[in-house]
Structures are given as C-alpha cells and as structure tokens.
C-alpha cells in the first residue's frame, strides 16, 4: 500500500507545476492595460436631417472614405446617417455626394454600407451601439463588436450647443449621457483606447463630463464659439463641408496607409484663423504621448505583414492541430491550443508596437517568456513540443504505477 | 497499454481516421452532385412610347436540395440559404422601389410591369413553414436580419402596427403570409451594394458591370427586387432547394446629347441610344460562373404594328424568314449589332400583331471586343403599350385635418373593349377586381361607410361586392386591412369605392422627426385575377431555356397589379 501511494503523489507533484504553467498562459490573466491592440473600429454618426444640412452628411462620408481608404473594413465601421442626401430628389447629382465644389471626389462611391439610416439614428440606438446592449434580434452588422484590444474612433457631426448634441431636430444627446456610455464601455472592456472627434458648434463642451481613462477627445470649437462651414457649392446649392472636417481631410489626403504621421501633428495642423474657431483637445485621460501615437492607430488599420521565404505551411498540419484539440488529454492544454490557433488567424493584425510590453521585458523574465509565446510563428511545432514534453511524464507515471 | 505508452501512435491513428472521414464525406458530397448550383444572368431592354427606355436585369441562382447539414455552396449566396434554413421561409419577396410606375405610358399588361411595378419604398412579404403561433416571431427576426443584410430600416416592420396578414389577396394565399410595407424608405447605393454581393460575379464581370450608380438613380423608376422560393423538402434531414431571383428594373431617359446620331431634320424622332450611352459602360464578356448570359431587346406588339416590316402580314410563316435581314434593319430603325436569335411571340389573343424579341449572346464577347447594343431610330414612331383592363387611381376627399374619405377610382381604358370581347361567356360577362388596402391605425376608417359608385351612380354595395374581408385597426397595435372582391359589368365606364375616415390622435413622440413632410399611406393593390399577362415565345431549342422567358410564360399565376401611392397631404397640416 505504501509503495502504491508514493508514486501517485510523485506523479501529481510533477504534473501540478506544468498545469499551473499552462493554465496561467492559457487564461492570460493580464490586466486590461497590457492587452494588445488588435483591431480598429469606427463609429461615424451624422445626426442632421434635411437638405440644407448636406454638409454634415458630407463630413461623415468624408471620414468614412478616409477610414476605409486607410484600411478599416466595412465590417468594423458603423455608419449612421440620419437622412438620405445622395438619392434625395433635390440632389442634382444622384447617388453622388461631394465635399468640394470641384466635384473631384464622389464620396458615395459604389460600395457604401450604411448601418443605421433615417429614423433609426436616435439617441437610444446610438447609446445601444456604444454600450452593446441590443435586443437579441439585432443583426451583427449593426453591433459594435469591439473587445479590450480595440481602438475606436467615434466621430459625430451635426448641430450642437453647450453640453448637448442635437439628433434629428427632435432629441438631444447630453454630455453626461455620453460620459455615462463611455464609462459603461470601459467597465465592459469594450475598448482599449477611444478617440472622440466632434464637429459641431461648441463641441468641446460635450466632453466636460468624461472621466474614463484611455479616452482622447477633440472638438472643433470651444464654449461660446460656432463651427463654420467651409464653402458653398453653387451647383449643388448648399454648403458642402465644414471647416474642421475640411482641414482634417486635407491632412489625411496627404497620407497613405504606411505613413507614420502622429496624432500631435494632426492636432497641430489646425489653424484657428482658418477654422474661425479654436480646436480643443482633451488629453488628460490619455496616458500616452501624442507624438508617439500614429494616426493610423485610430483612423486606419495597419496590418503587420510578416514576410516568409518558405512556402506557406500546408493545410493538413492545421487540420491535425484541430483534431488534436478534440481529444487532448489535458484541459488547459486544450485551451492554450485554441488560443494559439486564434492568435495565428489574427496573427497579421497583431501590432508589434507595444511600448509597455517591451519596457517590461527587461524587468520581468516571465513577460519575455510570454512575449516569446505570443510572437511564435510556428504554432504547430510549439504544440508538438508541449506534447512531447508531456510524454516523459506519462512514461514515468505509468512505469511508477507498474 | 502499449497505446497508452505511445501517445504519439494514438494521436496518429486518430488523426488519420479523422482525415479519412473528412475525405470520404467530401467525396460523397461530390458524387451526389447530380443537380448542380446554377446561375444565369439576363438583361432585357425595351423602348417605351414616351421616348424612355426600360432596362430589366434578371439574375437567377438556384441551389438544389442537399443532404448534408451545412451544405457547401460555390455559387449560391450563403447569407440567403442561412436565412431560409433558420427562419424556414417558404417564399419571400423583398423590393426596394423609388418612383412611380407610369401605367398610362409604360403599359400595365405585360409580364414585366405586372411583376415589377412595385409600391415605392420597401415592400416585404413572406410565407413561413412554421406553426401558426411562431409566425410573428419568425417575421420579427426576419425583418431584423434583412435590415442588417440590406442596409435598410426593414426592422421597422417588426411592430404589429406595420404589418398585416392578408387572407386571400395574395397569390400564395394560405394565411401564413405576412405583408408589410414602408413607403417612406429611401433607396440608394447602400441598398444595391449588398444586393449585388449576392451575385457570384458581383458587379465586376458580366451584365452587372453595366450598373453605373449615377445612371441608375437618375432614372424615372427604379426597383430592385429579390424573390426566393424554397422547394418542398421531402424529409427532415434534407435541406430544401432554393431558387433566388433578383431583378432590377429601371426606366431611363436616353441622353439625346450622347446619342449616336440624331437626324437634325426630324424633331420628334425617338432618341437613339446604346448601352454605353445610357450606362457609360460596356459589357466586356460574361460572368464565367453563369450558365447563360444574354441580352434581349423586346419590341412590343404595339410598336411592331407601327413599324414597317415587309413580312409582317405573314405572321407565323415569317418564322422561316426570321433570320433574314428584314427584322433588324428596316426603314424605321437600325440595330448596331446583329442579333443571334430572333423570337416571335407565339400568338396573342388580344392583338393582331406579335411582339418580337431579339437575343444577343454575351458569350461571344470579351474584354477586347466588348458588347454594346444600340438602336438608332430613323423615323418618328408613336405607339401605345398594352394597358390594364381598368385604370386605377386613389385619392383623398374632403378638407381639413380631422376627417376625410379615401376613394379608389377605376376607369376603363381604350383596351377594355378588347378584353371584354375576349372574355365574354354566355353573353353576360363580369370583370373581377380584387382590392387589397392597408391603412395605418391613425387613419381610422369606418367600414360601414363603404360606398360603391358604378358609372357615377351610387349603387348598393351588395350588388357588386362578392366577398369582403375586413380587419379593423387597433390604436397603436394593428393597421386596418380591407380585402374586397368586386364584380363589375364588362361595359363599365367608371367605378369608384369610397370609405370615410377620421384622423387618429398622435402623441408628440409618435410623430417622425420630419413631420412637416406628412405621412405616407401604403399603396393599395388592385389585381385582375382573370387576366393573364404572359408572353409566349417560340422556343425550338429546349436546351436553351432562359429563366427570364420562362417567367414570361408562367405569368399566368400572377395577376396584373396596379399599385398606387399617395401622400396624405391633408394630414400634414395637422402636425406641429
């Protein structure tokens, strides 16, 4: 009896540290701040109705075009347009929306996807999108499916005032509503960083109540100031763009997807005399220095491409990885396999730019080990190493039992 | 024990087992593919009497019934098959329309207008294969899914105040049908984008390449329609086959400045047009995944009667001379491309001349040699399109914002005589008219005040109404539905139905944000079940069955519908 008990306890003693090792990696119990930036989302809202508010639609569509051009796909853009300008009967150029009187760019294009349109653009739907509290029937394309690694760009334009933004002439979004929604988002880990950009009159007052960390906000004018339209297009008959958005676009049109322009260069490009208002940005809640943050962190989606000289690994190895999943002996190993597979599928979106991670590397050998895990390219060999490592343990345990 | 000591061998065995299983399953799926998925694309162009042009795009995808769960699609859009499986949809039609179909100029008694003249905004009806008490929940989920899929506010149709259950007005009359329409929905590029994504070649190749957005939305009438039917599944484990039909009907004005050539002397010649002048693009080859890809040019029998075809009198015997030069180059017009085949309408019971259909195969063309059909008119031609048996219109009566009356007026057209003589039996003939009308709850109609006027004389309701089904509205809960079968004498000149209403009280939050534009009342649907708008074309080649032409032939099931639309202008003054 004594000889029977001891090998068993020895077996458990050997296995336990391995389990602890794998489970801690698997569950990745790192705090949210160290979560990696994995994807970008954009929520673009135009809150104005009626033909004479054409410029608000053009503002939003200009941002939509910029954000798409710099890499964010339609699946990660929530576009809310309160009225239809392109196919409006008053539009002399059907299915076309311009933001400049030279009519060089058709913002509407051929592939626009509007998620919320017309009467659906309400304060309630806007807050539901932000907080993710929808009815069960609401389809995925209308939900903001962000997670703790998302950078979200929230752009709103329309008519606003002191601590409020007007929705379709019938409702208001107040600054504390917005702050509350952002707070809920933070609690639910729905974003890693959030950039709010507002182009309305007295836009800066909308951020007065914000308190959540990781939020950067920029408004086109301060309290008591109006935001003005840029120019009138006598052909279309209305003003076609607002000044703040016009100069924002002028900045982005010079960029392509690989440029490294930083947020501080964007913010310093605004000239108060040209805008006829003072842009205000609120960065006390944002920990990183603006000179180090590229604009594509919010306005685009730059994917890291890893060049491999060899041919891409054949599909059967991946299949075998999946089949191994189903009958794995160890539950935590199963978890780590799944997580590693998912990571590789999103592998091309993992950003290497993570200053905190790299700073911490020298201090903590544990995080270097973890980083090596995360940066591993060949997951299948890693799995195999793990399994091979388990084999001697099994051999020893069975020998001991015998 | 040996296996446990060698976990690698265990893994390897299970690995190969799984791999073999997967391979066998895949192989067997291929073996069972006797019925393949098919896709065909067609375009029909038809000149209209008022110098406009009708372009009708028809895309059809079909998926055969499959035995495996989670079937493998290579042509059929997965979004649609998932929708059908999840909500157990037997038949569904969704249309997005902008503009009014001008029945007087563009006709109403041909296969295209009878199925493609739709009410403006969004119209959705669906038949479900679920128990009666589940249908409303399925409808609600379906509206949400479609709103996400097509970037439209179809989800507003989920509320019981917007949809209705017609009993026998709809062709698949079963009681499981739900009908909803949202008249003030805008239709623009964002609705076309996902609709085109359902096609295998998107808008990058084939006939869909012609869809230049500004040209489409500049038209006078524009309607994109999606119709799907799922065939009966015989057993539980088999997923049903689905036929998806997507059509886009546009009425455009050929831009006379960009026309090929216009004779300066004749001022009233119809503007010449070509596909490149209308759409700004040419068809550079077919979609390689399409089983058939063709373009048709239809000359209505009214037009053929006016044109001077040398062999016109021969009629049927001209079948021999179908490929002769006469049919595409004659003193009245000239085609820029020679057609590959010419079809003559088989026979027409109500007209003396026959329609002609020219067919052009797109397979022969490629990027280096793109396809562009053009028609040049040489002499002014004026003709009339076949009209519906009675011309219908709807309007409001009364003044002020508190009360009024809705009137539906039916007038005979010059073609009515021809209909009646063809339809008379035993000397006394009756014209059957079906009326289906839905009004929102805030237009509170009084069904007891329904009056019938025939030839401008008030008559007893029971004399002319054979069947009536009424579902009164409940405040904020359900709309008012009225289905009427009228039997009018064949020689009727005019007939009218009037019904009085009071305007309901709306709270301030029930008004839309742009209440100054008034309220849109959904269109009524008037149908003539005894008439069949079909065109049968001689098809000797049974292999070459075109889905579009078969739709023409089988239009006997659908009756001619006249669809109307009205904005309640008087209600507009009631607000704010």
């Amino acid at each position: 009896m004594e000889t029977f008990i001891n090998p068993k306890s020895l077996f458990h003693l050997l296995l336990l540290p391995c389990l602890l090792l794998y489970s801690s990696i698997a569950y990745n119990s790192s705090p949210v701040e160290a979560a990696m930036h994995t994807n970008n989302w954009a929520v673009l809202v135009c809150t104005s109705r009626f033909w004479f508010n054409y410029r608000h639609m053009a503002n939003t569509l200009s941002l939509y075009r910029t954000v798409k051009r710099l890499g964010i796909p339609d699946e990660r853009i929530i576009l809310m347009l309160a009225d239809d300008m392109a196919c409006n009967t008053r539009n002399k150029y059907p299915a076309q929306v311009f933001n400049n009187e030279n009519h060089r760019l058709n913002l509407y294009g051929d592939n626009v996807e509007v998620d919320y349109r017309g009467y659906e653009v309400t304060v309630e739907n806007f807050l539901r999108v932000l907080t993710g509290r929808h009815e069960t029937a609401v389809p995925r394309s209308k939900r903001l499916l962000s997670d703790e690694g998302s950078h979200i760009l929230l752009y709103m334009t329309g008519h606003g005032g002191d601590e409020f933004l007007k929705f379709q002439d019938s409702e208001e979004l107040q600054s504390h509503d917005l702050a509350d929604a952002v707070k809920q988002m933070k609690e639910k880990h729905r974003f890693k960083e959030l950039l709010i950009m507002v182009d309305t009159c007295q836009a800066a007052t909308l951020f007065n109540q914000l308190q959540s960390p990781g939020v950067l906000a920029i408004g086109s004018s301060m309290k008591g100031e109006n935001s003005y339209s840029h120019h009138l297009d006598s052909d279309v008959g209305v003003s076609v763009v607002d000044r703040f958005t016009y100069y924002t676009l002028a900045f982005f049109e010079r960029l392509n997807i690989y440029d490294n322009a930083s947020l501080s260069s964007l913010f310093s490009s605004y000239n108060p005399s040209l805008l006829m208002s003072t842009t205000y940005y609120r960065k006390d809640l944002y920990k990183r220095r603006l000179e180090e943050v590229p604009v594509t962190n919010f306005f685009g989606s730059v994917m890291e491409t890893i060049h491999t000289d060899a041919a891409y690994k054949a599909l059967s190895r991946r299949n075998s990885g999946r089949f191994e999943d189903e009958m794995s002996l160890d539950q935590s190993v199963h978890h780590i396999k799944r997580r590693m597979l998912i990571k590789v599928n999103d592998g091309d979106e993992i950003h290497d730019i993570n200053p905190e991670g790299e700073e911490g590397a020298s201090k903590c050998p544990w995080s270097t080990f973890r980083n090596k895990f995360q940066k591993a390219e060949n997951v299948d060999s890693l799995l195999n190493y793990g399994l091979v490592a388990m084999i001697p343990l099994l051999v020893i345990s069975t020998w001991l039992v015998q | 024990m040996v296996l446990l000591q060698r976990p690698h061998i265990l893994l390897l065995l299970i690995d190969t087992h799984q791999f073999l299983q997967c391979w066998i399953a895949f192989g067997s799926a291929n073996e069972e593919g006797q019925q393949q998925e098919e896709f065909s694309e067609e375009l029909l162009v038809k000149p209209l009497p008022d110098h406009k042009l009708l372009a009708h795009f028809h895309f059809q995808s079909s998926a055969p019934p499959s035995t495996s769960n989670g079937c493998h699609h290579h042509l059929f859009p997965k979004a649609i098959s998932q929708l059908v499986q999840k909500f157990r949809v037997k038949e569904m039609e969704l249309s997005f329309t902008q503009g009014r179909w001008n029945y007087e100029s563009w006709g109403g008694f041909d296969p295209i207008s009878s199925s493609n003249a739709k009410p403006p905004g969004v119209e959705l009806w669906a038949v479900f294969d679920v128990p009666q008490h589940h249908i409303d929940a399925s409808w609600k989920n379906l509206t949400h899914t479609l709103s996400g899929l097509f970037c439209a506010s179809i989800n507003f149709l989920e509320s019981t105040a917007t949809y209705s259950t017609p009993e026998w007005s709809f062709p698949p009359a079963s009681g499981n049908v739900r009908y909803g329409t949202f008249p003030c929905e805008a239709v623009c590029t964002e609705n076309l984008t996902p609709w085109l994504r359902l096609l295998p070649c998107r808008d990058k190749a084939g006939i869909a390449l012609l869809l230049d957005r500004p040209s489409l939305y500049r038209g006078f009438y524009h309607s994109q329609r999606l119709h799907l039917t799922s065939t009966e599944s015989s057993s539980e484990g088999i997923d049903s086959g689905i036929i998806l039909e997507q059509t886009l009907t546009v009425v455009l004005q050929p831009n006379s400045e960009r026309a090929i050539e216009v004779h300066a002397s004749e001022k009233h010649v119809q503007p010449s047009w070509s596909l490149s002048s209308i759409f700004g693009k040419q068809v550079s080859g077919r979609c390689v995944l399409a089983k058939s890809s063709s373009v048709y040019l239809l000359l209505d029998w009214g037009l053929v009667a006016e044109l001077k075809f040398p062999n016109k009198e021969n009629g049927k015997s001209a079948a021999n001379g179908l490929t002769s030069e006469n049919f595409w180059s004659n003193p009245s017009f000239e085609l820029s491309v020679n057609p590959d085949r010419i079809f003559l309408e088989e026979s027409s019971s109500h007209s003396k001349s026959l329609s002609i259909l020219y067919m052009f195969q797109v397979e022969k063309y490629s990027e280096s040699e793109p396809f562009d059909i053009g028609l040049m008119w040489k002499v002014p031609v004026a003709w009339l399109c076949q009209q519906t048996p009675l011309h219908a219109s709807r309007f409001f009566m009364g003044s002020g914002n508190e009360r009024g009356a809705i009137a539906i007026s039916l007038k005979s057209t010059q073609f009515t005589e021809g209909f009646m003589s063809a339809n008379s039996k035993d000397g006394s003939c009756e014209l059957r008219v079906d009326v289906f009308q839905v009004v929102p709850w805030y237009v509170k109609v009084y069904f007891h005040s329904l009056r019938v006027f025939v030839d401008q004389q008030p008559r007893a309701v029971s004399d002319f109404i054979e069947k009536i089904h009424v579902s009164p509205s409940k405040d904020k809960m359900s709309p008012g539905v009225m289905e009427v079968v009228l039997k009018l004498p064949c020689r009727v000149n005019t007939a009218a139905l009037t019904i009085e209403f009071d305007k309901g009280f709306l709270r301030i939050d029930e008004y839309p944000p742009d209440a100054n534009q008034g309220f849109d009342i959904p269109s009524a649907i008037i149908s003539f079940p005894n008439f069949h708008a079909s065109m049968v074309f001689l098809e000797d080649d049974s292999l070459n069955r075109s889905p579009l032409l078969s739709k023409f032939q089988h239009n006997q099931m659908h009756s001619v519908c006249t669809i109307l639309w009205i904005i309640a202008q008087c209600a507009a003054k009631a607000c704010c």
Side-chain angles (χ1 to χ4, degrees):
Chain A
M1 282 294 281
E2 288 175 14
T3 50
F4 194 69
I5 291 168
N6 282 337
K8 259 210 156 166
S9 53
L10 192 65
F11 168 69
H12 286 306
L13 277 168
L14 281 172
L15 209 49
L16 205 56
C18 301
L19 279 171
L20 281 170
L21 178 80
Y22 276 124
S23 58
S24 58
I25 298 167
Y27 288 107
N28 199 6
S29 56
S30 52
V32 175
E33 286 79 52
M36 268 181 16
H37 170 208
T38 48
N39 53 61
N40 283 359
W41 281 81
V43 179
L44 309 170
V45 183
C46 166
T47 59
S48 297
R49 183 167 268 277
F50 301 120
W51 176 247
F52 50 81
N53 289 322
Y54 182 102
R55 62 188 187 281
H56 296 143
M57 197 73 53
N59 289 349
T60 318
L61 287 169
S62 314
L63 254 293
Y64 174 75
R65 184 188 166 270
T66 303
V67 141
K68 255 178 103 159
R69 187 173 66 88
L70 293 176
I72 303 186
D74 270 313
E75 290 85 48
R76 299 218 202 99
I77 303 178
I78 306 259
L79 181 61
M80 300 173 79
L81 297 180
D83 201 358
D84 171 48
M85 299 301 174
C87 293
N88 197 317
T89 42
R90 286 165 100 160
N91 192 358
K92 193 176 151 190
Y93 300 92
Q96 290 158 289
V97 175
F98 304 113
N99 66 350
N100 200 314
E101 60 179 350
N102 60 22
H103 294 186
R104 197 171 51 87
L105 265 180
N106 171 16
L107 297 173
Y108 225 60
D110 278 350
N111 285 318
V112 65
E113 277 185 32
V114 181
D115 299 300
Y116 288 84
R117 65 195 308 221
Y119 299 137
E120 284 179 293
V121 178
T122 56
V123 174
E124 182 195 339
N125 281 346
F126 173 68
L127 293 176
R128 281 187 189 275
V129 164
L130 285 187
T131 54
R133 295 163 68 174
H134 294 279
E135 289 182 23
T136 43
V138 171
R140 281 175 69 93
S141 62
K142 286 174 138 176
R143 294 182 189 232
L144 180 63
L145 299 167
S146 55
D147 52 25
E148 67 264 9
S150 305
H151 283 188
I152 302 182
L153 166 71
L154 173 60
Y155 174 82
M156 294 192 283
T157 180
H159 290 290
D162 195 0
E163 305 227 4
F164 73 89
L165 176 64
K166 195 165 73 157
F167 265 69
Q168 292 207 52
D169 254 351
S170 60
E171 294 181 295
E172 288 177 353
L173 174 77
Q174 303 208 323
S175 56
H176 52 256
D177 292 326
L178 181 64
D180 189 52
V182 171
K183 198 168 165 190
Q184 280 191 50
M185 286 173 85
K186 194 73 200 174
E187 286 294 311
K188 290 160 93 166
H189 302 309
R190 277 169 72 76
F191 65 90
K192 180 164 184 284
E193 288 173 18
L194 174 65
L195 171 62
I196 307 181
M197 195 178 221
V198 179
D199 186 359
T200 67
C201 301
Q202 304 188 54
T205 55
L206 203 64
F207 319 133
N208 281 350
Q209 316 279 346
L210 285 175
Q211 284 164 357
S212 316
V215 177
L216 185 61
I218 174 160
S220 60
S221 50
M222 305 200 52
K223 177 168 166 144
E225 288 180 350
N226 288 333
S227 291
Y228 294 95
S229 65
H230 191 258
H231 63 267
L232 170 75
D233 181 345
S234 44
D235 204 11
V236 174
V238 282
S239 303
V240 288
V241 70
D242 279 335
R243 285 178 183 256
F244 176 72
T245 311
Y246 181 84
Y247 290 109
T248 309
L249 281 172
F251 178 88
F252 278 107
E253 286 294 313
R254 295 194 296 264
L255 288 186
N256 64 34
I257 197 168
Y258 301 110
D259 279 338
N260 271 343
S262 67
L263 276 180
S264 66
S265 62
L266 169 66
F267 293 169
S268 52
S269 72
Y270 297 120
N271 183 343
S273 57
L274 287 176
L275 281 172
M276 293 162 66
S277 61
T278 320
T279 53
Y280 166 76
Y281 54 99
R282 187 173 167 180
K283 51 181 185 169
D284 54 316
L285 298 167
Y286 193 69
K287 293 291 171 288
R288 296 167 60 182
R289 294 182 48 229
L290 295 180
E291 289 79 18
E292 292 166 9
V293 181
V295 283
T296 48
N297 261 17
F298 291 100
F299 289 89
S301 181
V302 180
M303 300 187 201
E304 184 186 323
T305 47
I306 302 169
H307 176 77
T308 54
D309 288 325
Y312 196 64
K313 287 280 195 293
L315 221 60
S316 58
R317 288 204 62 130
R318 277 195 197 276
N319 283 341
S320 69
R322 237 175 261 130
F323 296 137
E324 282 163 2
D325 253 356
E326 288 154 22
M327 37 60 60
S328 78
L329 308 162
D330 196 303
Q331 269 307 96
S332 54
V333 175
H334 170 81
H335 279 297
I336 187 182
K337 277 182 205 165
R338 192 187 283 142
R339 195 168 179 88
M340 283 301 164
L341 276 174
I342 292 167
K343 275 232 160 67
V344 162
N345 287 340
D346 288 357
D348 40 8
E349 292 174 43
I350 291 176
H351 266 256
D352 242 12
I353 312 163
N354 200 346
E356 287 123 359
E358 282 175 0
E359 279 168 354
S362 52
K363 290 174 192 168
C364 181
W366 174 247
S367 59
T368 42
F369 185 56
R370 203 166 57 78
N371 280 345
K372 273 200 192 132
F373 254 110
Q374 286 166 348
K375 285 180 193 172
E377 291 173 8
N378 198 346
V379 171
D380 294 318
S381 59
L382 189 71
L383 291 173
N384 288 337
Y385 291 149
L387 282 170
V388 168
M390 296 290 291
I391 289 169
L393 285 170
L394 282 166
V395 169
I396 293 165
S397 63
T398 47
W399 177 75
L400 284 169
V401 169
Q402 279 175 356
Chain B
M1 280 303 265
V2 176
L3 279 176
L4 284 173
Q5 281 184 341
R6 303 280 181 267
H8 250 159
I9 296 174
L10 183 67
L11 291 171
L12 197 66
L13 275 174
I14 292 174
D15 193 354
T16 45
H17 168 68
Q18 296 275 19
F19 187 63
L20 279 170
Q21 214 176 45
C22 171
W23 187 68
I24 287 165
F26 194 66
S28 62
N30 270 347
E31 280 166 23
E32 276 183 48
Q34 291 133 4
Q35 282 176 302
Q36 299 285 332
E37 288 177 359
E38 284 175 3
F39 171 69
S40 66
E41 52 176 16
E42 276 138 344
L43 165 62
L44 184 130
V45 202
K46 178 178 151 181
L48 294 170
D50 58 352
H51 297 202
K52 296 190 176 71
L53 184 75
L54 170 75
H56 177 79
F57 293 81
H58 182 103
F59 303 100
Q60 184 155 315
S61 266
S62 60
S66 65
T67 50
S68 55
N69 274 340
C71 42
H72 215 58
H73 292 297
H74 74 282
L75 281 186
F76 198 81
K78 193 169 176 184
I80 298 292
S81 72
Q82 283 182 337
L83 198 129
V84 170
Q85 309 305 345
K86 187 168 175 197
F87 301 120
R88 302 186 60 78
V89 176
K90 245 168 56 178
E91 195 175 346
M92 183 187 95
E93 185 169 296
L94 171 65
S95 68
F96 295 87
T97 311
Q98 205 76 48
R100 274 176 91 162
W101 183 263
N102 188 341
Y103 282 92
E104 284 145 350
S105 310
W106 304 340
F109 200 72
D110 55 273
I112 295 182
S113 63
S114 66
S115 47
N116 291 292
K118 292 275 165 201
V122 168
E123 191 204 43
L124 171 68
W125 60 262
V127 183
F128 295 94
D129 196 15
V130 292
Q132 198 74 12
H133 50 276
H134 285 151
I135 293 184
D136 285 330
S138 298
W139 169 265
K140 177 181 168 174
N141 290 334
L142 178 69
T143 54
H144 275 279
T145 309
L146 288 174
S147 113
L149 187 57
F150 288 103
C151 300
S153 317
I154 304 175
N155 51 317
F156 285 149
L157 291 178
E158 63 165 351
S159 110
T160 50
T162 49
Y163 69 88
S164 55
T165 310
E167 290 284 315
W168 28 264
S169 291
F170 261 78
S174 52
N176 282 355
V177 65
R178 293 288 184 267
Y179 174 85
T181 165
F182 196 50
C184 43
E185 178 78 0
V187 177
C188 208
T189 312
E190 64 261 24
N191 303 118
L192 190 62
T193 307
W195 188 91
L196 285 172
R197 290 234 179 94
L198 301 177
L199 303 174
C201 284
R202 316 279 191 267
D203 58 343
K204 305 288 180 223
I207 288 175
L209 196 67
L210 287 172
L211 296 172
D212 178 46
R213 314 294 192 259
S215 315
L216 279 181
Y217 293 102
R218 192 173 280 134
F220 289 83
Y221 175 84
H222 157 266
S223 171
Q224 73 188 59
R225 187 171 72 99
L226 185 135
H227 185 105
L228 65 88
T229 21
S230 70
T231 55
E232 286 287 326
S233 54
S234 48
S235 66
E236 279 302 313
I238 299 182
D239 293 335
S240 50
I242 309 171
I243 299 177
L244 173 69
E245 187 194 319
Q246 291 174 254
T247 61
L248 177 65
T249 312
V250 271
V251 174
L252 302 161
Q253 173 82 54
N255 197 341
S256 48
E257 294 156 42
R258 290 160 74 188
I260 306 168
E261 258 180 48
V262 177
H263 291 249
S265 53
E266 287 115 343
K267 289 179 200 159
H268 302 293
V269 181
Q270 290 240 355
S272 307
W273 54 265
S274 68
L275 286 182
S276 53
S277 74
I278 298 171
F279 294 111
K281 295 181 186 173
Q282 295 169 329
V283 180
S284 57
R286 59 191 276 254
C287 170
V288 291
L289 299 166
K291 186 174 150 220
S292 69
S293 175
S294 6
V295 176
Y296 299 95
L297 170 67
L298 175 66
L299 299 180
D300 218 10
W301 63 266
L303 173 59
V304 171
E306 297 291 323
L307 295 173
K308 300 165 187 58
F309 279 118
N311 293 348
K312 184 163 71 83
E313 293 83 18
N314 297 355
K316 271 281 183 64
S317 65
N320 301 334
L322 272 179
T323 51
S324 69
E325 292 273 326
N326 306 329
F327 275 94
W328 66 80
S329 171
N330 72 76
S332 310
F333 71 93
E334 196 179 301
L335 291 178
S336 62
V337 178
N338 287 343
D340 297 310
R341 291 183 68 183
I342 303 177
F343 295 104
L344 206 58
E345 194 182 352
E346 191 142 329
S347 64
S348 176
S349 55
H350 42 256
S351 60
K352 296 196 188 86
S353 54
L354 309 165
S355 310
I356 301 177
L357 189 72
Y358 297 102
M359 177 176 167
F360 305 86
Q361 300 272 14
V362 182
E363 281 98 3
K364 303 188 317 195
Y365 300 88
S366 63
E367 206 157 317
S368 51
E369 203 195 314
F371 171 74
D372 186 14
I373 167 85
L375 183 74
M376 190 171 79
W377 294 98
K378 295 181 192 164
V379 291
V381 186
W383 74 99
L384 287 171
C385 276
Q386 176 81 38
Q387 304 277 316
T388 52
L390 291 177
H391 182 70
S393 65
R394 189 172 74 158
F395 49 89
F396 275 113
M397 301 199 312
S399 65
N401 309 315
E402 261 187 86
R403 59 186 73 90
I406 302 178
I408 298 177
S409 130
L410 303 160
K411 288 202 187 88
S412 65
T413 61
Q414 63 198 87
F415 292 99
T416 315
E417 290 280 330
F419 281 126
M420 301 314 140
S421 53
N423 235 21
S424 61
K425 38 188 177 179
D426 308 330
S428 72
C429 81
E430 280 187 324
L431 177 59
R432 180 180 155 171
V433 182
D434 282 4
V435 177
F436 171 61
Q437 180 169 264
V438 179
V439 286
W441 66 266
Y442 45 84
V443 176
K444 298 181 177 193
V445 291
Y446 293 108
F447 292 106
H448 72 275
S449 62
L450 179 67
R451 289 193 215 311
V452 176
F453 294 81
V454 175
D455 289 332
Q456 294 170 351
Q457 297 295 321
R459 306 290 289 269
V461 164
S462 49
D463 285 347
F464 294 97
I465 292 187
E466 186 193 324
K467 214 165 43 154
I468 182 167
H469 169 251
V470 149
S471 168
S473 61
K474 289 198 199 82
D475 273 8
K476 305 178 192 26
M477 291 286 293
S478 61
V481 182
M482 181 174 84
E483 292 174 84
V484 177
V485 175
L486 280 174
K487 282 277 170 77
L488 299 170
C490 288
R491 303 251 168 239
V492 65
N493 264 334
T494 60
L497 273 176
T498 60
I499 190 164
E500 290 174 21
F501 71 90
D502 272 357
K503 181 158 177 279
F505 180 74
L506 286 167
R507 291 195 308 249
I508 191 164
D509 55 342
E510 284 165 347
Y511 282 92
D514 54 350
N516 55 305
Q517 293 185 3
F519 296 93
D520 293 317
I521 310 293
S523 306
I525 300 182
I526 317 264
S527 46
F528 304 92
N530 295 335
F531 294 92
H532 312 303
S534 61
M535 272 188 198
V536 180
F537 288 97
L538 280 167
E539 265 188 289
D540 44 2
D541 199 47
S542 60
L543 298 169
N544 223 5
R545 254 174 291 135
S546 134
L548 179 62
L549 294 184
S550 55
K551 283 277 172 298
F552 276 29
Q553 290 177 14
H554 295 129
N555 227 4
Q556 292 147 11
M557 303 306 294
H558 295 270
S559 30
V560 174
C561 294
T562 313
I563 294 162
L564 309 144
W565 165 69
I566 188 164
I567 292 184
Q569 291 292 349
C570 57
K573 295 177 207 134
C575 70
C576 65

